[in-house]
Amino acid sequence: MATNSKRILVTGGGGFIGSHLCDFLLEEGHSVICLDSFITGDWRNIERARANPSFTVVEGDVCKRLDFDVDCVFHLASPASPVHYSSMQVSTLMANSLGTGNCLELSTRVGGRMVMCSSSEVYGDPLVTPQGEEYFGNVNPIGPRSCYDEGKRFAEALCKAYERERGADVVIVRIFNTYGSRMRSDDGRVIPNFINQALEGKPLTVYGDGSQTRSFCHVRDMVRGLAFAMFTESVRGEVINMGNPNEIRIIDLASIVRNKVGSCSGIEFRDLPVDDPLMRKPDISKAMSALSWAPEIDLTEGLDDAIAWFRENSA
Ligand code: UDP
């Protein structure tokens, strides 16, 4: 990784992954401007970063023109949990369309790289496993998740259009399920839900029969990989899956969390949400070969870290 200090814009830098990315970039000696509207981000996430003189926070909307003196851009700004994006569908589509356009305008203007933080949701409810970057996906364009899925697909198309027509330097990273400290207790995703339910002695809510699978990556592994995508010159123009390929059934995750917390919570089965993908597991061979990146934190260690954080920080 290049060690020259850069001035870096992180949109969505007040969010869960964004704030960890800001911390990581600051630790590496870069200057960071965090742009966040704080509709789903949280000022508490950037308390540590704000103590660093190389960190600037701007409360603002990525859908407005971006004028920043930076070398490169990470675009993460968007509601990201199913609960949030289904209650902010228009904002989600705008952050991923207008917002992505603004990030591309800025990065091409300054001649720097943009890392587009896309999502495994571009694969929708996949018909192949594991999902490799060449898979086109199986997405419902008008379903309740479509604002996010199609928003990210549009963002990817726009990145490729800027690359082909305007010479943009873009790397698209498809982020798979990621977890860790600073996830919002109310964001509805499975790991914060299960941990908080177990801590409160409430039943763990398993949607469907729990046989659907996900593969969970710890946030520290994720932000290290995102930085590699920015600073590895040779991946210009690539689309790269990033996540942990260890796949687990949701019902098994519930047992692990319950045991780790030491809770006697029961399991409450609820309806599976519409268009909920039945399986998800990244093929990360490209990230491993092109970036020499692989996740290092297994679920057991990562859950211990997340549980400790929720014990301290849940209201
Ligand atoms: N899920 C669950 N109970 C919950 C929250 C989620 O069983 O309290 C399931 C959800 O239906 C999905 C999986 O866990 O199959 C992961 O959901 P999450 O919202 O964390 O992320 P997604 O991968 O669906 O974006």
Side-chain angles (χ1 to χ4, degrees):
M1 192 194 296
T3 49
N4 293 349
S5 173
K6 303 265 191 216
R7 293 157 303 165
I8 306 173
L9 176 65
V10 179
T11 77
F16 157 52
I17 298 179
S19 65
H20 282 283
L21 179 61
C22 290
D23 286 344
F24 183 86
L25 296 170
L26 291 167
E27 279 161 27
E28 297 280 299
H30 301 290
S31 308
V32 175
I33 299 176
C34 155
L35 174 71
D36 206 298
S37 66
F38 293 96
I39 52 171
T40 58
D42 191 324
W43 287 93
R44 286 172 297 183
N45 292 345
I46 51 170
E47 258 166 30
R48 192 168 100 199
R50 289 175 84 188
N52 188 319
S54 301
F55 182 76
T56 308
V57 55
V58 177
E59 185 173 3
D61 186 352
V62 74
C63 296
K64 305 245 167 76
R65 180 187 156 90
L66 305 178
D67 266 321
F68 295 105
D69 184 18
V70 290
D71 299 307
C72 51
V73 179
F74 285 95
H75 180 34
L76 292 93
S78 170
S81 89
V83 165
H84 285 149
Y85 61 66
S86 48
S87 65
M88 292 178 237
Q89 302 191 13
V90 174
S91 303
T92 302
L93 280 159
M94 293 306 173
N96 285 295
S97 53
L98 285 178
T100 301
N102 287 335
C103 291
L104 285 161
E105 282 294 324
L106 175 63
S107 61
T108 45
R109 205 160 59 232
V110 302
R113 175 166 290 179
M114 167 172 156
V115 171
M116 172 65 215
C117 291
S118 182
S119 167
S120 55
E121 290 286 335
V122 299
Y123 301 122
D125 190 3
L127 304 176
V128 302
T129 190
Q131 294 85 54
E133 289 88 353
E134 70 289 347
Y135 180 51
F136 290 170
N138 174 39
V139 174
N140 176 354
I142 54 166
R145 298 176 87 101
S146 67
C147 59
Y148 193 72
D149 300 11
E150 296 293 4
K152 292 295 183 190
R153 288 169 72 94
F154 178 89
E156 291 197 8
L158 195 59
C159 288
K160 290 319 249 184
Y162 266 76
E163 183 183 284
R164 293 183 192 112
E165 290 189 356
R166 303 191 191 173
D169 175 356
V170 191
V171 179
I172 295 169
V173 177
R174 293 183 179 149
I175 297 178
F176 283 65
N177 294 70
T178 302
Y179 70 101
S181 58
R182 302 182 186 160
M183 293 187 91
R184 288 172 51 141
S185 304
D186 67 350
D187 87 357
R189 276 184 283 202
V190 67
I191 288 188
N193 271 10
F194 283 177
I195 293 177
N196 283 312
Q197 289 160 347
L199 287 173
E200 291 166 17
K202 294 183 180 156
L204 273 59
T205 51
V206 170
Y207 301 160
D209 63 3
S211 63
Q212 71 273 32
T213 66
R214 293 294 187 272
S215 311
F216 295 97
C217 183
H218 192 271
V219 66
R220 276 205 304 275
D221 281 330
M222 181 56 63
V223 298
R224 191 170 47 83
L226 291 174
F228 283 171
M230 179 63 86
F231 299 121
T232 306
E233 183 49 41
S234 56
V235 295
R236 180 176 179 146
E238 294 286 350
V239 178
I240 304 173
N241 283 341
M242 211 164 269
N244 190 317
N246 284 334
E247 190 178 18
I248 182 172
R249 295 187 312 160
I250 294 302
I251 190 78
D252 298 329
L253 175 71
S255 305
I256 294 173
V257 170
R258 201 167 47 170
N259 291 341
K260 276 189 171 293
V261 171
S263 150
C264 27
S265 293
I267 302 281
E268 183 183 312
F269 290 96
R270 295 203 183 157
D271 290 344
L272 193 66
V274 176
D275 292 337
D276 195 283
L278 287 180
M279 57 186 176
R280 189 179 288 146
K281 170 186 166 79
D283 175 344
I284 58 163
S285 28
K286 195 196 267 192
M288 290 171 75
S289 60
L291 298 175
S292 302
W293 173 88
E296 292 170 354
I297 302 169
D298 68 20
L299 191 60
T300 308
E301 181 190 351
L303 280 177
D304 286 340
D305 172 67
I307 290 167
W309 188 84
F310 278 107
R311 272 193 208 279
E312 279 289 299
N313 291 281
S314 282

